[in-house]
Amino acid sequence: AQSVTQLGSHVSVSEGALVLLRCNYSSSVPPYLFWYVQYPNQGLQLLLKYTSAATLVKGINGFEAEFKKSETSFHLTKPSAHMSDAAEYFCAVGAGGTSYGKLTFGQGTILTVHP
Amino acid sequence: ETGVTQSPTHLIKTRGQQVTLRCSSQSGHNTVSWYQQALGQGPQFIFQYYREEENGRGNFPPRFSGLQFPNYSSELNVNALELDDSALYLCASSEPGVYYTEAFFGQGTRLTVV
């Protein structure tokens, strides 16, 4: 069984400040981990993914995430927030083999960026 | 290359009715997954279709059913609608031959049951 916990349903930062969105996962098999972003009334857009290669993963729009197996974490960061980063962010875990395509999502974190 | 498209974008139905939602997968993708996203929640996996066969199902009752067609487009059918079925329904397609799951999502269909 797999699960994802996103710590903090709302995160507020000032423009130019560091963004840190937290994600912890549970998986009985080596996980594939993802971060998606969702803008209002839209679908999900993939930001980045971890697939057992490099533990530090770089994604689009300046975001990156680090896979830490010992901490079962996959936190999302961005050095300098931009107003356009305001959205909801979802961490997800997937499994390979016959379960590929099934993603388990966290509850989401709404990011607010203040001028 | 076209992305994942879903229709309709919005839908209002009455409790007890049936609804069909449609999804066209991204070009070259043979796997389609459906998710339900209730307000304020993360998406929940309903089921997945791979080459026209169901390939995994989440914790949803049998009144949620689906189809995948030879062109890999897909339908989600929900019978006997309940108020709690009101949600954003997301379709995602996956790249064939890729072991890990990289799902590309459509814009979703917003279903309201009254």
Side-chain angles (χ1 to χ4, degrees):
Chain A
Q2 299 181 308
S3 65
V4 172
T5 302
Q6 291 184 238
L7 301 174
S9 57
H10 290 80
V11 170
S12 181
V13 300
S14 298
E15 192 173 21
L18 171 72
V19 175
L20 171 60
L21 305 183
R22 300 177 187 272
C23 171
N24 287 89
Y25 71 91
S26 173
S27 178
S28 56
V29 297
Y32 302 109
L33 294 160
F34 307 84
W35 274 99
Y36 283 89
V37 61
Q38 186 175 39
Y39 297 99
N41 300 313
Q42 294 196 25
L44 300 172
Q45 180 183 9
L46 181 67
L47 279 177
L48 49 80
K49 58 183 183 280
Y50 166 76
T51 58
S52 75
T55 57
L56 182 62
V57 180
K58 294 187 183 300
I60 63 171
N61 301 339
F63 284 94
E64 63 181 37
E66 186 172 9
F67 172 69
K68 292 187 176 181
K69 185 178 179 180
S70 61
E71 298 176 9
T72 61
S73 69
F74 190 58
H75 301 331
L76 181 71
T77 60
K78 181 174 180 178
S80 177
H82 192 273
M83 296 296 289
S84 61
D85 294 328
E88 189 161 18
Y89 292 79
F90 291 95
C91 181
V93 61
T98 58
S99 297
Y100 83 94
K102 174 185 176 182
L103 298 177
T104 300
F105 285 86
Q107 292 286 83
T109 298
I110 295 173
L111 176 66
T112 303
V113 182
H114 297 289
Chain B
E1 178 183 279
T2 59
V4 178
T5 58
Q6 293 186 242
S7 62
T9 54
H10 294 82
L11 201 53
I12 299 175
K13 289 287 190 178
T14 302
R15 189 172 49 182
Q17 285 188 315
Q18 178 266 345
V19 68
T20 297
L21 311 182
R22 294 179 174 83
C23 171
S24 294
S25 61
Q26 188 162 315
S27 177
H29 289 188
N30 59 15
T31 302
V32 172
S33 303
W34 285 93
Y35 291 82
Q36 180 194 66
Q37 185 179 16
L39 201 61
Q41 310 261 338
Q44 300 231 337
F45 175 74
I46 303 174
F47 44 56
Q48 178 190 79
Y49 279 83
Y50 171 65
R51 294 185 175 177
E52 303 178 57
E53 298 278 335
E54 187 178 292
N55 180 40
R57 188 179 183 93
N59 189 25
F60 281 81
R63 59 190 185 84
F64 285 77
S65 62
L67 281 173
Q68 188 179 31
F69 301 99
N71 66 355
Y72 303 135
S73 65
S74 178
E75 287 182 355
L76 164 65
N77 299 291
V78 186
N79 293 322
L81 283 166
E82 301 177 359
L83 297 179
D84 284 349
D85 296 333
S86 295
L88 181 67
Y89 287 85
L90 296 165
C91 167
S93 71
S94 305
E95 210 171 320
V98 176
Y99 185 72
Y100 53 83
T101 53
E102 179 165 0
F104 294 84
F105 284 81
Q107 298 288 78
T109 294
R110 173 76 62 186
L111 173 65
T112 302
V113 182
V114 297

